Amino acid sequence: MDKWTLGIESTAHTLSFGLVDSKGIPYPSCSDTVSPTEGGIHPREAADHHKEVASILLGKLLVQNELSMTDIGAVSYSQGPGLGPCLRVGAAIARGISSRLEVPLIGVNHCVAHIEIGRDQCGCTDPVLLYVSGGNTQVIARLEGRYRVLGETLDIGIGNMLDKFARTQGIPFPGGPVIEKLAAKWLEENPNPTMDGLELPYAVRGMDLAFSGVMTAAQRLLESGKSLEAVCWSLQEHVFAACVEVAERAMAHTGKTELLLGGGVACNSRLRTMCELMAAERESTSFAPPRMYCIDNGTMIAKLGFLELDSGRITTYPHSAVDQYLRTDQTPITWV
Ligand code: AMP
Ligand code: MG
């Protein structure tokens, strides 16, 4: 009988279960996200949330796909990077299922999973990846069997910055989508916008990025009387331009002609448009996966688990501990 690979994502705010079938074809995930009413994500509280909703989500996923647990032939989970307590919940569930069903266990790199689901969905082969999520902001390219980080944030992830800025204005997590709406509203009312009075510091540091100074400066603009909509627009323009600039330089250095977006902030339509414009100017192509595969999802973990298993790798129990600080370039790429 054809068996499926189950993927478990639990690096931060979201617990998600997803599947790929025996040919590695992805199926939509069942997910639930903690949304704190006040403050940021507390790792322990998020982990408690994940424990509470796990069995309901897994049951829902199986019903949705008319499967039972005996159809699962392998289980993969995010081994890192992420928040320790959250990662440990996903790993414990994966070990339990693997041992109960006597199926292979595969611990995978969350960042690499974002890349592989994107490649799968967009049909690109060797892209520069602009990975923009809550906790991570990296520009990545494959070289000699690894995904190498060519540039990254020196302080906070771009998504965390957007969420934090939103929170100072009483907008609950996730703030990114709300900032996008406010910026679009301002643009509608100001079809010929200028940066006059709305300038912010530029986030590029060589091939790296930095966002906390931009956030503080955006708050100052609000204090000086600028409208929230205008500041949201300016903030997006500045930080997205910085990301696109580093991505463009990565394409120039590596000679690659594909750009692939990944991570939750890649849901943003303005960022997608800016990437398309840059790529078109370079006679290249910009790809963005469907939004359900940009945000953290179990399906991407299942997809990478499938690829790793197919190339002969499994995770033994003594090596199944999570690694909060796992780097993108620590994972050998053996399936390409
Ligand atoms: P991830 O960590 O990859 O799950 O992505 C979550 C992050 O994506 C959060 O910081 C969100 O605020 C951000 N995000 C989601 N949708 C959008 C959007 N449309 N525009 C900007 N940021 C977004
Ligand atoms: Mg992510």
Side-chain angles (χ1 to χ4, degrees), residues 13 31 37 39 74 77 99 137 227 256 280 301 325:
H13 43 66
S31 313
T37 41
Y77 64 101
S99 120
T137 305
S227 75
K256 297 187 198 282
I301 305 303
Y325 305 106

Side-chain angles (χ1 to χ4, degrees), residues 9 11 13 110-111 114 131-136 263-264 294-297 300:
E9 159 56 30
T11 52
H13 43 66
H110 172 92
C111 304
H114 272 292
Y131 171 37
V132 278
S133 73
N136 299 289
C294 285
I295 54 171
D296 288 349
N297 65 92
M300 69 181 190

Side-chain angles (χ1 to χ4, degrees), residues 144-297:
E144 293 175 352
R146 303 271 169 142
Y147 286 117
R148 312 278 170 181
V149 179
L150 304 180
E152 66 187 316
T153 178
L154 300 172
D155 47 32
I156 56 176
I158 185 170
N160 281 354
M161 184 277 289
L162 294 171
D163 296 334
K164 269 189 173 177
F165 174 76
R167 207 186 315 139
T168 64
Q169 301 310 305
I171 299 164
F173 175 88
V178 181
I179 291 177
E180 178 174 17
K181 285 201 187 87
L182 293 171
K185 186 167 165 252
W186 192 79
L187 196 59
E188 230 178 78
E189 290 158 7
N190 299 271
N192 298 308
T194 71
M195 278 299 165
D196 267 358
L198 291 173
E199 291 91 356
L200 290 169
Y202 200 53
V204 176
R205 309 277 183 278
M207 282 295 280
D208 291 321
L209 297 147
F211 297 109
S212 47
V214 190
M215 189 187 82
T216 310
Q219 280 170 280
R220 297 243 164 85
L221 279 185
L222 288 175
E223 285 159 19
S224 77
K226 303 291 180 208
S227 75
L228 179 59
E229 285 84 358
V231 176
C232 286
W233 173 77
S234 170
L235 184 61
Q236 281 202 163
E237 292 300 307
H238 279 85
V239 295
F240 293 166
C243 293
V244 174
E245 181 188 323
V246 175
E248 177 169 22
R249 251 185 290 145
M251 292 175 82
H253 285 320
T254 57
K256 297 187 198 282
T257 56
E258 296 169 326
L259 176 66
L260 176 62
L261 276 165
V265 181
C267 292
N268 189 289
S269 298
R270 176 61 183 148
L271 177 62
R272 288 176 176 227
T273 304
M274 284 167 100
C275 288
E276 280 161 16
L277 291 171
M278 180 271 277
E281 275 175 20
R282 302 185 53 77
E283 292 177 8
S284 300
T285 316
S286 178
F287 299 91
R291 286 177 169 79
M292 69 174 167
Y293 293 138
C294 285
I295 54 171
D296 288 349
N297 65 92

Side-chain angles (χ1 to χ4, degrees), residues 112 116 119 142 147 304 307-308 310-311 313 331-336:
V112 174
E116 290 305 335
R119 286 206 313 124
R142 194 169 72 228
Y147 286 117
L304 181 52
L307 292 171
E308 297 231 24
D310 201 41
S311 71
R313 196 177 78 80
T331 299
I333 310 304
T334 52
W335 50 87
V336 180

